[in-house]
Amino acid sequence: MTAAAPAGSVPGVGDRAPDFELRNQTRERVRLSEVVRDRHALLVFFPYAFSSICTGELLEIQLNIDQFVNDRVNVYAISCDARHAQAAWAAHEGYRFPLLSDFWPHGEVARSYGVFDERSGMAVRGTFVVDPQMRVTWSLVHGPGEQRDIGVLHAAVKDL
């Protein structure tokens, strides 16, 4: 069975990135317009904590953390899971980057990026690079069950 298409339109390269403020797994507030002031943000929307594909993707990021968290870029993983589930998952897997909860209002940020699947209530695998001017400089969207290629993410941040 295939999932319904995500609601809303996906911001393209050159478009202004929707700003947001979400809490991470340790309850800290993260506002996109503040964190991109001095470096790019790699936004990695994912469907569910503890699911096999999502775990594999985020473990690949963790194993290559210096590529995705440095003085040029920082990674932010975003799902509609509750913060408590994300905190347990981050502790279990040892993630050293922010997991942001788009739980309530449910999927509001994912909707603004055009990657919220209304039928399933989850974010699909949308990936965006946002520059310090709040512009999208790269994006790629995968549907449910389609794993991201870590090599593509490396290429997206390589020349920042």
Side-chain angles (χ1 to χ4, degrees), residues 3-9 48 80 106-112 114-124 144:
S9 66
Y48 298 114
C80 298
H106 192 74
E108 181 177 66
V109 174
R111 273 187 194 88
S112 73
V115 296
F116 186 75
D117 185 328
E118 295 288 344
R119 189 170 69 191
S120 65
M122 68 178 191
V124 297

Side-chain angles (χ1 to χ4, degrees), residues 77-151:
I78 306 168
S79 77
C80 298
D81 293 302
R83 186 195 61 76
H84 300 288
Q86 290 180 338
W89 191 40
H92 183 263
E93 298 297 340
Y95 298 139
R96 295 180 298 163
F97 51 87
L99 304 182
L100 306 180
S101 177
D102 190 16
F103 182 71
W104 199 258
H106 192 74
E108 181 177 66
V109 174
R111 273 187 194 88
S112 73
Y113 279 82
V115 296
F116 186 75
D117 185 328
E118 295 288 344
R119 189 170 69 191
S120 65
M122 68 178 191
V124 297
R125 289 178 175 82
T127 315
F128 303 87
V129 174
V130 178
D131 73 10
Q133 288 74 45
M134 289 291 292
R135 297 283 174 205
V136 173
T137 61
W138 183 88
S139 70
L140 184 65
V141 177
H142 288 79
E146 297 177 23
Q147 187 166 349
R148 282 175 268 240
D149 176 356
I150 194 69

Side-chain angles (χ1 to χ4, degrees), residues 8 19 21 31 36 39 49 56-57 60 72 76-77 86-87 90 99-100 126 128 137 145 149 157 159-160:
D19 199 6
E21 182 176 295
R31 177 174 288 281
V36 298
R39 64 178 115 173
E57 289 177 338
E60 285 289 334
R72 298 177 324 276
Y76 299 90
Q86 290 180 338
L99 304 182
L100 306 180
F128 303 87
T137 61
D149 176 356
V157 301
D159 295 325
L160 296 179

Side-chain angles (χ1 to χ4, degrees), residues 9-63:
S9 66
V10 175
V13 172
D15 289 344
R16 183 146 182 87
D19 199 6
F20 61 80
E21 182 176 295
L22 296 172
R23 288 192 185 266
N24 69 13
Q25 71 269 29
T26 61
R27 298 189 48 90
E28 297 171 311
R29 292 181 186 265
V30 175
R31 177 174 288 281
L32 181 61
S33 57
E34 292 174 2
V35 299
V36 298
R37 286 183 183 158
D38 62 350
R39 64 178 115 173
H40 292 73
L42 175 64
L43 307 179
V44 179
F45 288 88
F46 65 95
Y48 298 114
F50 293 101
S51 64
S52 61
I53 293 175
C54 297
T55 298
E57 289 177 338
L58 295 191
L59 283 175
E60 285 289 334
I61 291 171
Q62 181 60 49
L63 290 171

